[in-house]
Amino acid sequence: MDKAMPEISRFFGIIIAMYYNDHAPPHFHVRYGNQKAVIDISTLGIIEGELSPRALGLVTEWAALHRVELKNDWELARRHAPLNQIAPLE
């Protein structure tokens, strides 16, 4: 991941990031091993890609707990401002 896609959280080998200047709807990117997916912040559904059921369950649980923070980071990314780290799932 690079500065264009800052990592905002990491847990159980799952990496969560957001691109600056990304397209709507508000979403975040997930990488887990060779798996990649784009998750809609509002619905928590997969927009693109694919995750194993276990990884998707963990990501969905985490995102549901941090939806407000994800929306805030989305707005920061739109303004090219530094993104806030979000606590990992424990």
Side-chain angles (χ1 to χ4, degrees):
M1 307 245 172
D2 55 40
K3 289 188 183 255
M5 187 164 71
E7 181 180 313
I8 56 175
S9 194
R10 182 186 291 242
F11 50 91
F12 306 122
I14 297 168
I15 300 169
I16 310 290
M18 272 188 195
Y19 281 113
Y20 286 109
N21 234 10
D22 215 346
H23 57 85
H27 63 273
F28 58 93
H29 295 256
V30 180
R31 284 183 42 195
Y32 180 59
N34 292 331
Q35 303 171 51
K36 292 181 184 178
V38 178
I39 309 291
D40 184 297
I41 294 171
S42 296
T43 67
L44 301 183
I46 294 178
I47 297 171
E48 183 181 308
E50 173 175 307
L51 292 173
S52 68
R54 179 183 175 278
L56 181 58
L58 292 169
V59 168
T60 302
E61 180 182 349
W62 172 83
L65 294 169
H66 299 287
R67 193 174 273 156
V68 170
E69 293 160 278
L70 285 163
K71 288 180 181 177
N72 289 341
D73 268 355
W74 176 263
E75 292 304 321
L76 290 170
R78 301 296 284 177
R79 298 193 310 261
H80 295 270
L83 304 186
N84 297 312
Q85 290 293 301
I86 299 176
L89 190 63
E90 296 181 7

